[in-house]
Amino acid sequence: MKAEKQNSRRQFIKQMGILGAVVGFPTIIPASALGRNGYVAPSNRITMATIGCGGMGTYNTGCFLGKSDVQFLAVCDVLKWTDKLGSWHTSTEGWEPLKNRIEEHYGKASGKKYTCDVYTDYRELLQRKDIDAVTIALPDHWHALVYTTAARSGKDVYGEKPLTRYIKEGRAVVNAVREYGRVWQTGSWQRSVGQYYKACGLVQNGAIGKVHTINVGIPKNPYMAAVPPEPIPEGFDWEFWQGPAARADFSIHRAFYTWRFNNAYSNGQISDWGAHNIDIAHWGMGYDKTKIGPKSVRPILEEMEWYEDGLFNQPKAIKIELIYPDGVKMYVSDSFNCGTEFIGEKGKIYVDRSSASFSPKSLERIEIPANGEHIYHSTDHYQNFIDCVKNRRRTITDVEIAHRTNTSCLLCEISYRIGRKIEWDAGKETFANNDTEAENYLMGAYHAPWVL
């Protein structure tokens, strides 16, 4: 019976396109070494790999390592190791420390030497048929290329937010995930935290009446003056790191954590934190279910400021107004507290990573009705992904959700880059009134030979 169940599991995985002809069998860790609350047979484990071994890549891998039904086989990064990251980022980065951590974890569990394979080119790793899923954490300008390749390679993906650098890239990722039947989880983990679940559940179920305004707070973008070129760290492929982006001289502040403040690779806090807090706004309003987006976006120019030219080229102060088809106005600003506030006819709810606050206080005692508006419930973002890899259901932050959230973030950027109001058709994913100036921002140019 046990053998029959295991064979059935393997046959199911083959049918779903996860497992093909095995290339290089992984080291098998005894079930007793990895099991928690009972053994997990090797045939029931999800084999994983990490692409991008920086701060979030290492953190996400650590969260998956604690799962008894997961086994890591490989890591991939263009950097071997460095701790020379300056004051912005205190952790080490690169494939070597993460490889060592994985090997130590499984070696200690089994009492035997364990080998984690290393790649510097993600395309080689994704060719392996014995890897079921990947966790990917890369600079935004790489997301679309790696995410679509992973989907076409038959891998399920835990991918970091924001989904992509450009809106058209986001639709390409959604299409690839759907076409190849992959399970996708976005690293917008706030959806798996209790106070966000309660806040959004109460809003969806009318606890504060009809919502008319949402305030979304993000941190301020920092400033960095232009710096001279620096020596490239040993063991770091700077050419590959730049990939589809325009070529530039190496600087520690252009790479690693602070790449997000350089427009060639990201668009700063509007997507970095907007991908979290706008996402919660969409969740609370149920926009996931209706698949709507803002119909207009405008920068409030009198409250916008810009830094002088420097290495970082994001706004000094931001305030944007988004109006949705239901009449709700959303304001995104770095002058608000970093969180999401829903304001309705009967009260308001503010939620951030530390807590939720309610006005009037009586709202705090209200529970989400069991027979009310359904809201997806997850208490562990990583386990939600693993469970969905097994049952092939959609995760709490599916790829379409990530794309809709990121579209709102990127529309904010487009509006302040061109300095005026823009009109958006969310169904067609294009601008109204033949706005060719705005259309130019839907997709960026790729550096040869990279193409999407």
Side-chain angles (χ1 to χ4, degrees):
M1 183 70 177
K2 183 177 179 181
E4 183 180 27
K5 183 178 179 181
Q6 291 180 1
N7 288 337
S8 175
R9 160 72 176 158
R10 286 190 177 278
Q11 185 61 34
F12 171 75
I13 294 176
K14 287 179 181 179
Q15 291 173 349
M16 298 311 298
I18 301 177
L19 193 66
V22 176
V23 179
F25 285 94
T27 302
I28 299 298
I29 300 297
S32 58
L34 292 180
R36 286 183 177 178
N37 301 320
Y39 299 159
V40 178
S43 59
N44 288 326
R45 289 191 206 122
I46 305 301
T47 54
M48 292 190 68
T50 298
I51 301 175
C53 303
M56 283 310 302
T58 295
Y59 179 82
N60 291 338
T61 303
C63 292
F64 283 117
L65 272 178
K67 309 294 183 187
S68 61
D69 45 0
V70 169
Q71 184 174 347
F72 275 86
L73 305 186
V75 295
C76 178
D77 204 289
V78 296
L79 171 68
K80 180 178 180 181
W81 175 83
T82 185
D83 62 354
K84 303 185 188 314
L85 303 181
S87 60
W88 290 97
H89 202 296
T90 57
S91 68
T92 58
E93 298 202 15
W95 60 256
E96 186 174 60
L98 189 55
K99 166 186 165 68
N100 293 341
R101 180 177 176 182
I102 292 170
E103 292 178 345
E104 180 181 359
H105 174 81
Y106 292 128
K108 184 177 181 180
S110 65
K112 299 179 181 179
K113 179 178 173 59
Y114 187 81
T115 300
C116 175
D117 295 331
V118 174
Y119 296 84
T120 57
D121 189 325
Y122 70 94
R123 294 167 295 188
E124 295 176 4
L125 182 150
L126 291 173
Q127 289 176 6
R128 287 182 57 162
K129 302 300 183 182
D130 59 336
I131 293 174
D132 300 328
V134 288
T135 176
I136 303 172
L138 299 167
D140 300 355
H141 71 287
W142 266 112
H143 284 189
L145 282 169
V146 183
Y147 290 165
T148 54
T149 304
R152 290 194 296 266
S153 300
K155 312 304 181 197
D156 296 323
V157 180
Y158 184 103
E160 270 305 317
K161 38 56 63 183
L163 186 66
T164 54
R165 179 64 188 89
Y166 299 102
I167 291 174
K168 283 188 176 181
E169 290 179 322
R171 179 49 59 191
V173 174
V174 174
N175 291 344
V177 170
R178 294 289 186 257
E179 180 180 354
Y180 292 91
R182 307 328 309 157
V183 169
W184 174 280
Q185 176 79 298
T186 316
S188 300
W189 54 265
Q190 291 180 167
R191 289 195 179 216
S192 294
V193 177
Q195 67 262 28
Y196 290 102
Y197 170 74
K198 180 169 183 177
C200 292
L202 291 181
V203 171
Q204 278 205 33
N205 282 279
I208 61 173
K210 179 176 173 56
V211 174
H212 53 79
T213 305
I214 305 172
N215 293 325
V216 173
I218 60 175
K220 289 186 178 296
N221 289 310
Y223 174 73
M224 172 66 67
V227 295
E230 300 174 52
I232 298 173
E234 184 179 354
F236 182 40
D237 191 337
W238 172 238
E239 176 68 20
F240 203 148
W241 187 96
Q242 294 174 92
R247 291 304 178 261
D249 293 326
F250 173 77
S251 166
I252 284 174
H253 297 293
R254 184 172 274 118
F256 308 123
Y257 175 78
T258 45
W259 51 260
R260 70 195 69 239
F261 304 119
N262 189 297
N263 198 47
Y265 319 122
S266 181
N267 65 326
Q269 304 289 21
I270 199 73
S271 280
D272 188 37
W273 273 91
H276 283 301
N277 295 342
I278 292 177
D279 182 61
I280 294 303
H282 283 191
W283 194 25
M285 295 305 298
Y287 292 159
D288 301 358
K289 301 172 184 178
T290 55
K291 295 184 179 180
I292 69 170
K295 65 178 184 179
S296 70
V297 182
R298 73 175 180 95
I300 302 177
L301 295 175
E302 59 270 25
E303 298 188 45
M304 293 282 302
E305 294 182 51
W306 291 87
Y307 288 115
E308 298 295 328
D309 290 343
L311 182 64
F312 300 166
N313 47 17
Q314 305 303 330
K316 181 179 181 180
I318 293 175
K319 191 164 187 182
I320 311 292
E321 178 191 69
L322 303 89
I323 301 179
Y324 286 76
D326 56 3
V328 171
K329 292 183 178 180
M330 181 190 298
Y331 294 95
V332 181
S333 177
D334 53 15
S335 64
F336 299 147
N337 290 330
C338 188
T340 306
E341 181 182 44
F342 301 92
I343 304 173
E345 296 171 332
K346 299 179 182 178
K348 58 185 178 180
I349 298 175
Y350 171 82
V351 61
D352 61 24
R353 291 185 176 180
S354 62
S355 62
S357 60
F358 305 86
S359 179
K361 289 283 289 182
S362 57
L363 289 169
E364 190 172 0
R365 298 190 294 273
I366 300 176
E367 297 297 329
I368 300 172
N371 61 346
E373 189 71 25
H374 172 72
I375 181 169
Y376 199 136
H377 193 199
S378 162
T379 58
D380 184 331
H381 213 60
Y382 301 93
Q383 191 61 51
N384 176 246
F385 173 65
I386 295 302
D387 291 343
C388 290
V389 168
K390 293 178 180 180
N391 62 35
R392 311 313 293 170
R393 295 173 182 167
R394 291 187 182 175
T395 66
I396 192 168
T397 317
D398 176 57
V399 66
E400 182 75 37
I401 292 172
H403 174 55
R404 298 283 175 171
T405 294
N406 190 44
T407 295
S408 288
C409 297
L410 293 173
L411 289 173
C412 288
E413 181 198 19
I414 294 171
S415 75
Y416 65 65
R417 294 288 176 195
I418 63 179
R420 61 172 171 80
K421 181 179 178 180
I422 51 178
E423 306 281 348
W424 180 247
D425 185 326
K428 297 179 180 178
E429 295 195 344
T430 189
F431 294 98
N433 306 319
N434 193 30
D435 192 339
T436 55
E437 182 183 19
E439 291 278 351
N440 290 332
Y441 287 86
L442 289 178
M443 183 64 187
Y446 277 25
H447 188 277
W450 298 99
V451 292
L452 182 61

